[in-house]
Amino acid sequence: MRKIGKNCLGCIPLLLLWVSCSAQVQGSLHLDGSADLSLQASLQPRTAALIRSLSRLAGDSSRSEQILDASTIGKSLASAPGIKSLVLRNQNPTTIEGTISILKVDAFLAVPGSPGNHNFISYEQTHAGGRLRIALDRSSGPRILTLFSPEVRDYLSVLMAPVATGESLSQKEYLALVQSVYGKALADEITAARIQVTIDFPGSISTIHGGRASANRAEFTIPLGDMLVLERPLIYEVFWK
């Protein structure tokens, strides 16, 4: 792994939408496959302290306070596949909020040349209804990471996340490793962090896997540790009519 420097620290805000934070995402999926999302993501105290420490070691004093920089995150996300537009702002130095418009959900974070069974998102709409499937596993996770800069993947490796390192660790083994290097408090934050997702679909939901549904609304609670380790594939699927 390359030495972490200022270029890597510049990518940290994008990474922190995924790593060691709690997030809430609300949105609507439309009949044409487009979507509109609102989000809020916050760093936990121990994770924020770790980032500040790494920033100081890299000589980047500018991140001593503003760790989650909405402007930097926005510039990074703007070039991601499937993004139509976005507006992000800082609520405080460790919290961002904003809106994202997705042109086609099945193009969002799509990796060119990926086999069909490794698509991150698949979407179907017919006269009888529709289907949305989101799948993340130890094959698709690293593929999605290739869309980001090498520095982002390096930083994930510093946090020893199996999705980046390729190690076949159980979540228990991973958290024990984090605790041995960074302390129990950080491991506990990763364990407790959740991503809450609420999506309104263009029809009444008939079947849902991995979440709960009421009328046309689906709700998912995704443990952060599950995403970092991918010990088991994460599969979320919704059918509507």
Side-chain angles (χ1 to χ4, degrees), residues 177-193:
L177 182 59
V178 171
Q179 180 174 333
S180 69
V181 175
Y182 297 120
K184 185 176 184 299
L186 183 60
D188 287 345
E189 281 189 351
I190 293 175
T191 300

Side-chain angles (χ1 to χ4, degrees), residues 17 22-28 35-42 68-71 73-74 77 83 85-92 95-102 196 198:
L17 288 177
S22 294
Q24 295 182 350
V25 179
Q26 295 181 318
S28 298
D36 293 297
L37 305 175
S38 63
L39 66 86
Q40 182 185 70
S42 299
L68 283 178
D69 188 324
S71 176
I73 295 170
L77 283 177
I83 294 289
S85 63
L86 60 88
V87 176
L88 296 177
R89 55 191 172 272
N90 274 97
Q91 193 177 75
N92 57 53
T95 301
I96 64 165
E97 61 181 7
T99 58
I100 300 176
S101 178
I102 299 175
Q196 304 286 346
T198 302

Side-chain angles (χ1 to χ4, degrees), residues 3-240:
K3 180 180 179 181
I4 295 179
K6 291 185 179 180
N7 289 339
C8 179
L9 270 296
C11 299
I12 286 176
L14 173 60
L15 178 64
L16 292 176
L17 288 177
W18 191 6
V19 178
S20 297
C21 70
S22 294
Q24 295 182 350
V25 179
Q26 295 181 318
S28 298
L29 176 67
H30 308 298
L31 280 173
D32 62 357
S34 64
D36 293 297
L37 305 175
S38 63
L39 66 86
Q40 182 185 70
S42 299
L43 280 180
Q44 301 303 305
R46 295 290 180 176
T47 304
L50 172 62
I51 302 308
R52 287 191 177 101
S53 176
L54 290 176
S55 297
R56 286 193 294 268
L57 288 174
D60 188 358
S61 59
S62 65
R63 295 201 181 277
S64 61
E65 292 300 330
Q66 191 87 332
I67 298 178
L68 283 178
D69 188 324
S71 176
T72 302
I73 295 170
K75 290 178 182 178
S76 299
L77 283 177
S79 60
I83 294 289
K84 180 181 180 181
S85 63
L86 60 88
V87 176
L88 296 177
R89 55 191 172 272
N90 274 97
Q91 193 177 75
N92 57 53
T94 59
T95 301
I96 64 165
E97 61 181 7
T99 58
I100 300 176
S101 178
I102 299 175
L103 187 61
K104 292 290 184 181
V105 291
D106 51 1
F108 181 57
L109 297 183
V111 181
S114 292
N117 64 335
H118 289 312
N119 287 346
F120 176 48
I121 299 176
S122 58
Y123 170 81
E124 300 173 10
Q125 178 67 50
T126 68
H127 68 280
R131 167 183 174 268
L132 179 75
R133 184 177 188 269
I134 301 174
L136 192 65
D137 58 28
R138 285 182 171 174
S139 294
S140 59
R143 284 178 176 271
I144 293 171
L145 284 182
T146 64
L147 296 173
F148 303 114
S149 70
E151 289 82 8
V152 168
R153 299 193 293 273
D154 283 350
Y155 191 79
L156 273 168
S157 296
V158 168
L159 289 183
M160 303 169 294
V163 68
T165 65
E167 293 184 84
S168 297
L169 299 178
S170 67
Q171 191 162 163
K172 182 178 180 180
E173 291 170 331
Y174 170 62
L175 292 172
L177 182 59
V178 171
Q179 180 174 333
S180 69
V181 175
Y182 297 120
K184 185 176 184 299
L186 183 60
D188 287 345
E189 281 189 351
I190 293 175
T191 300
R194 297 289 186 272
I195 299 172
Q196 304 286 346
V197 181
T198 302
I199 302 293
D200 290 334
F201 285 81
S204 180
I205 295 172
S206 56
T207 305
I208 187 169
H209 300 292
R212 57 187 181 275
S214 176
N216 71 323
R217 175 165 293 181
E219 297 181 357
F220 305 92
T221 300
I222 309 169
L224 179 66
D226 288 356
M227 294 187 67
L228 297 183
V229 177
L230 295 175
E231 184 176 0
R232 292 177 296 275
L234 301 181
I235 299 176
Y236 305 95
E237 195 166 23
V238 177
F239 294 83
W240 63 91

